[in-house]
């Protein structure tokens, strides 16, 4: 549901084509560390207008997409 937004932000951050970001892409393989993840979450919150508090480990783009998709609307 949020994959396109996540992929766009990641592609801009790491300087690659958005089409190279796949659901199964791991953040580690993309060179995204914990500090980058914090920045990514803040950018996502701005883009989608939803507060995101990670309460579980997400390792792939799909993991993050699924986590955000299951958040309850405020």
């Amino acid at each position: 549901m949020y994959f396109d937004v996540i992929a766009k932000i990641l592609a801009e951050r790491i300087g690659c084509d958005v089409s190279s970001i796949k659901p199964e892409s791991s953040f580690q393989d993309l060179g995204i560390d914990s500090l980058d993840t914090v920045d990514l979450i803040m950018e996502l919150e701005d883009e989608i207008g939803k507060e995101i508090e990670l309460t579980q480990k997400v390792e792939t783009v799909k993991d993050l997409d699924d986590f955000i998709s299951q958040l309850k609307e405020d």
Side-chain angles (χ1 to χ4, degrees):
M1 184 171 169
Y2 296 101
F3 174 78
D4 292 336
V5 176
I6 297 168
K8 178 181 133 275
I9 293 170
L10 283 170
E12 289 171 359
R13 177 165 291 278
I14 63 175
C16 71
D17 190 86
V18 72
S19 64
S20 67
I21 308 290
K22 307 291 182 205
E24 63 274 8
S25 298
S26 76
F27 294 110
Q28 182 177 12
D29 290 344
L30 294 172
I32 301 296
D33 63 20
S34 58
L35 183 58
D36 292 325
T37 303
V38 171
D39 290 340
L40 171 66
I41 295 299
M42 290 189 316
E43 279 188 64
L44 275 169
E45 288 176 335
D46 290 343
E47 284 281 330
I48 65 174
K50 183 185 277 194
E51 187 175 328
I52 304 166
E53 185 176 333
L54 282 179
T55 57
Q56 66 187 45
K57 186 173 183 173
V58 292
E59 295 183 5
T60 66
V61 176
K62 183 179 182 332
D63 290 344
L64 181 57
D65 185 12
D66 290 346
F67 180 81
I68 296 169
S69 295
Q70 71 183 358
L71 292 176
K72 292 191 179 350
E73 294 291 332
D74 290 334

